[in-house]
Amino acid sequence: EAGVTQFPSHSVIEKGQTVTLRCDPISGHDNLYWYRRVMGKEIKFLLHFVKESKQDESGMPNNRFLAERTGGTYSTLKVQPAELEDSGVYFCASSQTRGSGANVLTFGAGSRLTVL
Amino acid sequence: DQQVKQNSPSLSVQEGRISILNCDYTNSMFDYFLWYKKYPAEGPTFLISISSIKDKNEDGRFTVFLNKSAKHLSLHIVPSQPGDSAVYFCAASGYTGNQFYFGTGTSLTVIP
Protein backbone atom coordinates (compact mmCIF):
# COMPACT_ATOMS: atom_id res chain seq x y z
CA GLU A 1 0.00 0.00 0.00
CA ALA A 2 1.40 3.39 -0.99
CA GLY A 3 1.76 5.87 1.82
CA VAL A 4 0.94 9.57 1.91
CA THR A 5 2.88 11.34 -0.82
CA GLN A 6 3.79 15.01 -0.75
CA PHE A 7 5.30 17.19 -3.44
CA PRO A 8 7.60 19.07 -3.60
CA SER A 9 9.89 17.86 -0.85
CA HIS A 10 11.53 21.28 -0.67
CA SER A 11 10.61 24.62 -2.17
CA VAL A 12 12.60 27.85 -1.94
CA ILE A 13 10.77 31.00 -3.00
CA GLU A 14 11.04 34.72 -2.48
CA LYS A 15 8.70 36.76 -0.34
CA GLY A 16 5.62 37.69 -2.35
CA GLN A 17 5.73 34.66 -4.62
CA THR A 18 3.20 31.85 -4.76
CA VAL A 19 3.75 28.21 -3.87
CA THR A 20 1.42 25.25 -4.20
CA LEU A 21 1.99 22.10 -2.17
CA ARG A 22 0.37 18.83 -3.13
CA CYS A 23 -0.66 15.84 -1.07
CA ASP A 24 -1.83 12.42 -2.25
CA PRO A 25 -3.40 10.56 0.68
CA ILE A 26 -3.64 6.82 1.10
CA SER A 27 -6.29 5.49 -1.24
CA GLY A 28 -9.61 5.11 0.54
CA HIS A 29 -8.80 7.52 3.34
CA ASP A 30 -11.65 10.00 3.56
CA ASN A 31 -9.90 12.20 6.13
CA LEU A 32 -7.07 14.45 5.01
CA TYR A 33 -5.22 16.88 7.25
CA TRP A 34 -2.64 19.60 6.84
CA TYR A 35 -0.22 20.40 9.65
CA ARG A 36 2.76 22.72 9.83
CA ARG A 37 5.92 22.69 11.91
CA VAL A 38 8.03 25.79 12.25
CA MET A 39 11.59 24.87 13.23
CA GLY A 40 11.84 23.73 16.84
CA LYS A 41 8.19 24.34 17.54
CA GLU A 42 5.19 22.04 17.82
CA ILE A 43 3.39 20.47 14.87
CA LYS A 44 0.32 22.68 14.41
CA PHE A 45 -3.03 21.76 12.92
CA LEU A 46 -4.08 23.75 9.86
CA LEU A 47 -7.19 22.07 8.52
CA HIS A 48 -9.15 18.87 8.03
CA PHE A 49 -11.02 17.59 4.98
CA VAL A 50 -13.62 14.86 4.95
CA LYS A 51 -13.69 13.77 1.34
CA GLU A 52 -13.90 17.07 -0.57
CA SER A 53 -15.45 19.11 2.24
CA LYS A 54 -13.56 21.28 4.69
CA GLN A 55 -14.54 19.96 8.11
CA ASP A 56 -12.38 22.25 10.18
CA GLU A 57 -10.12 25.05 8.96
CA SER A 58 -9.68 26.77 12.31
CA GLY A 59 -5.90 26.41 12.17
CA MET A 60 -5.38 28.24 8.87
CA PRO A 61 -3.21 31.28 9.71
CA ASN A 62 -4.86 33.80 7.38
CA ASN A 63 -6.45 34.23 3.97
CA ARG A 64 -3.13 33.90 2.17
CA PHE A 65 -3.54 30.16 2.62
CA LEU A 66 -6.00 28.26 0.42
CA ALA A 67 -6.56 24.53 0.61
CA GLU A 68 -8.56 22.44 -1.81
CA ARG A 69 -9.37 18.78 -2.22
CA THR A 70 -10.86 18.23 -5.61
CA GLY A 71 -13.05 15.14 -5.91
CA GLY A 72 -12.05 14.01 -2.47
CA THR A 73 -8.73 12.64 -3.68
CA TYR A 74 -5.52 14.68 -3.64
CA SER A 75 -5.25 18.04 -1.92
CA THR A 76 -3.35 21.23 -2.60
CA LEU A 77 -2.30 23.97 -0.24
CA LYS A 78 -1.52 27.28 -1.87
CA VAL A 79 0.27 30.14 -0.17
CA GLN A 80 -0.16 33.45 -1.96
CA PRO A 81 1.65 35.75 -1.44
CA ALA A 82 4.23 33.98 0.73
CA GLU A 83 5.72 35.78 3.72
CA LEU A 84 8.90 35.02 5.67
CA GLU A 85 6.95 33.57 8.62
CA ASP A 86 5.38 30.95 6.34
CA SER A 87 8.67 29.04 6.28
CA GLY A 88 8.43 25.61 7.83
CA VAL A 89 7.61 22.01 7.07
CA TYR A 90 4.08 21.33 5.90
CA PHE A 91 2.86 17.85 6.70
CA CYS A 92 -0.11 16.15 5.15
CA ALA A 93 -1.76 13.23 6.90
CA SER A 94 -4.68 10.96 6.15
CA SER A 95 -6.84 8.51 8.05
CA GLN A 96 -9.84 6.28 7.60
CA THR A 97 -13.11 7.16 9.23
CA ARG A 98 -12.90 5.35 12.53
CA GLY A 99 -15.60 3.44 14.37
CA SER A 100 -13.97 3.69 17.76
CA GLY A 101 -10.62 4.20 19.35
CA ALA A 102 -7.87 6.65 18.61
CA ASN A 103 -7.72 8.25 15.16
CA VAL A 104 -4.29 7.26 13.91
CA LEU A 105 -2.93 9.60 11.28
CA THR A 106 -0.51 8.47 8.60
CA PHE A 107 1.81 11.33 7.73
CA GLY A 108 3.67 12.15 4.57
CA ALA A 109 7.35 13.08 4.61
CA GLY A 110 6.48 16.78 4.50
CA SER A 111 7.15 19.68 2.16
CA ARG A 112 9.79 22.05 3.44
CA LEU A 113 9.04 25.65 2.46
CA THR A 114 11.73 28.29 2.69
CA VAL A 115 10.67 31.88 2.03
CA LEU A 116 13.58 34.30 1.47
CA ASP B 1 -1.01 28.87 23.91
CA GLN B 2 0.37 25.35 23.93
CA GLN B 3 -1.98 22.70 25.25
CA VAL B 4 0.59 19.91 25.04
CA LYS B 5 4.10 20.42 26.36
CA GLN B 6 7.27 18.40 26.16
CA ASN B 7 9.70 20.21 28.39
CA SER B 8 12.79 18.16 27.58
CA PRO B 9 14.11 19.01 24.10
CA SER B 10 16.61 16.16 24.22
CA LEU B 11 17.49 12.97 26.07
CA SER B 12 20.52 10.65 25.86
CA VAL B 13 20.40 7.07 27.11
CA GLN B 14 22.77 4.11 27.00
CA GLU B 15 21.75 1.16 24.86
CA GLY B 16 19.87 -1.41 26.92
CA ARG B 17 18.71 1.08 29.55
CA ILE B 18 15.27 2.60 29.94
CA SER B 19 14.24 5.77 28.08
CA ILE B 20 11.51 7.86 29.69
CA LEU B 21 9.93 10.64 27.68
CA ASN B 22 7.50 12.98 29.37
CA CYS B 23 4.54 15.04 28.25
CA ASP B 24 2.18 17.41 30.07
CA TYR B 25 -1.16 18.74 28.89
CA THR B 26 -3.57 21.40 30.06
CA ASN B 27 -6.95 20.41 28.62
CA SER B 28 -8.80 17.94 30.82
CA MET B 29 -11.20 17.22 27.94
CA PHE B 30 -8.61 15.34 25.89
CA ASP B 31 -9.73 11.78 25.22
CA TYR B 32 -6.86 10.25 23.30
CA PHE B 33 -3.12 10.54 23.60
CA LEU B 34 -0.67 9.29 21.03
CA TRP B 35 3.07 9.10 20.62
CA TYR B 36 4.66 9.56 17.23
CA LYS B 37 8.27 8.93 16.27
CA LYS B 38 10.03 10.96 13.61
CA TYR B 39 13.28 10.29 11.78
CA PRO B 40 15.02 13.12 9.87
CA ALA B 41 13.45 13.92 6.49
CA GLU B 42 10.51 11.64 7.21
CA GLY B 43 7.01 12.25 8.50
CA PRO B 44 5.97 11.28 12.02
CA THR B 45 4.96 7.63 12.36
CA PHE B 46 2.49 6.33 14.91
CA LEU B 47 3.99 4.46 17.83
CA ILE B 48 1.43 3.87 20.56
CA SER B 49 -1.77 5.39 21.93
CA ILE B 50 -3.79 5.44 25.11
CA SER B 51 -7.37 6.39 25.80
CA SER B 52 -8.29 8.59 28.76
CA ILE B 53 -10.12 5.71 30.42
CA LYS B 54 -6.88 3.76 30.83
CA ASP B 55 -3.73 4.45 32.77
CA LYS B 56 -1.37 2.15 30.92
CA ASN B 57 -0.93 0.66 27.48
CA GLU B 58 1.88 -1.63 26.45
CA ASP B 59 3.19 -2.72 23.06
CA GLY B 60 6.39 -4.69 23.09
CA ARG B 61 9.22 -2.51 24.33
CA PHE B 62 6.97 0.56 24.49
CA THR B 63 4.67 1.44 27.38
CA VAL B 64 2.65 4.62 27.79
CA PHE B 65 1.44 5.71 31.22
CA LEU B 66 -1.31 8.25 31.76
CA ASN B 67 -1.85 10.18 35.00
CA LYS B 68 -5.05 12.13 34.48
CA SER B 69 -5.02 13.90 37.82
CA ALA B 70 -1.57 15.28 37.06
CA LYS B 71 -2.35 15.77 33.35
CA HIS B 72 0.83 13.92 32.56
CA LEU B 73 1.81 11.06 30.34
CA SER B 74 5.07 9.30 29.74
CA LEU B 75 6.53 6.89 27.22
CA HIS B 76 8.88 4.19 28.48
CA ILE B 77 11.16 2.33 26.09
CA VAL B 78 12.80 -0.77 27.54
CA PRO B 79 15.37 -1.81 26.52
CA SER B 80 16.46 1.18 24.43
CA GLN B 81 18.13 0.41 21.11
CA PRO B 82 20.21 2.65 18.80
CA GLY B 83 17.42 2.45 16.20
CA ASP B 84 15.14 4.20 18.68
CA SER B 85 17.14 7.41 18.19
CA ALA B 86 14.59 9.86 16.77
CA VAL B 87 12.36 12.77 17.74
CA TYR B 88 9.32 11.71 19.74
CA PHE B 89 6.14 13.77 19.66
CA CYS B 90 3.32 13.54 22.14
CA ALA B 91 -0.15 14.36 20.75
CA ALA B 92 -3.61 14.71 22.25
CA SER B 93 -7.13 15.00 20.87
CA GLY B 94 -10.70 15.26 21.98
CA TYR B 95 -13.35 12.62 21.34
CA THR B 96 -13.69 13.39 17.62
CA GLY B 97 -9.97 12.75 17.20
CA ASN B 98 -9.78 15.11 14.27
CA GLN B 99 -7.69 17.94 15.65
CA PHE B 100 -4.52 16.87 17.36
CA TYR B 101 -2.41 19.07 19.55
CA PHE B 102 1.25 18.17 19.39
CA GLY B 103 4.14 18.92 21.68
CA THR B 104 7.45 20.35 20.49
CA GLY B 105 9.15 16.95 20.50
CA THR B 106 11.97 15.30 22.43
CA SER B 107 15.05 14.18 20.55
CA LEU B 108 16.17 10.80 21.90
CA THR B 109 19.71 9.57 21.33
CA VAL B 110 20.50 5.99 22.29
CA ILE B 111 24.22 5.56 22.69
CA PRO B 112 25.62 2.15 21.64
Side-chain angles (χ1 to χ4, degrees), chain A residues 11-52:
Chain A
S11 181
V12 181
I13 62 173
E14 293 194 349
K15 176 183 170 181
Q17 290 187 316
T18 298
V19 64
T20 300
L21 310 177
R22 172 172 170 143
C23 169
D24 286 82
I26 291 174
S27 178
H29 281 193
D30 287 341
N31 296 291
L32 187 149
Y33 309 81
W34 284 98
Y35 282 81
R36 176 174 73 175
R37 186 184 189 211
V38 173
M39 188 181 293
K41 301 265 180 104
E42 73 271 29
I43 301 171
K44 267 194 168 180
F45 170 83
L46 296 179
L47 88 159
H48 167 218
F49 283 99
V50 176
K51 297 185 181 178
E52 67 275 7

Side-chain angles (χ1 to χ4, degrees), chain B residues 37-76:
Chain B
K37 174 179 175 180
K38 183 184 178 309
Y39 291 117
E42 294 184 10
T45 55
F46 171 72
L47 195 56
I48 192 170
S49 66
I50 188 167
S51 127
S52 60
I53 62 173
K54 294 189 172 182
D55 54 19
K56 176 182 175 182
N57 189 26
E58 193 171 352
D59 183 2
R61 296 185 297 113
F62 302 91
T63 302
V64 55
F65 295 92
L66 176 62
N67 182 334
K68 286 190 70 178
S69 60
K71 295 193 183 68
H72 177 84
L73 67 156
S74 60
L75 174 68
H76 292 210

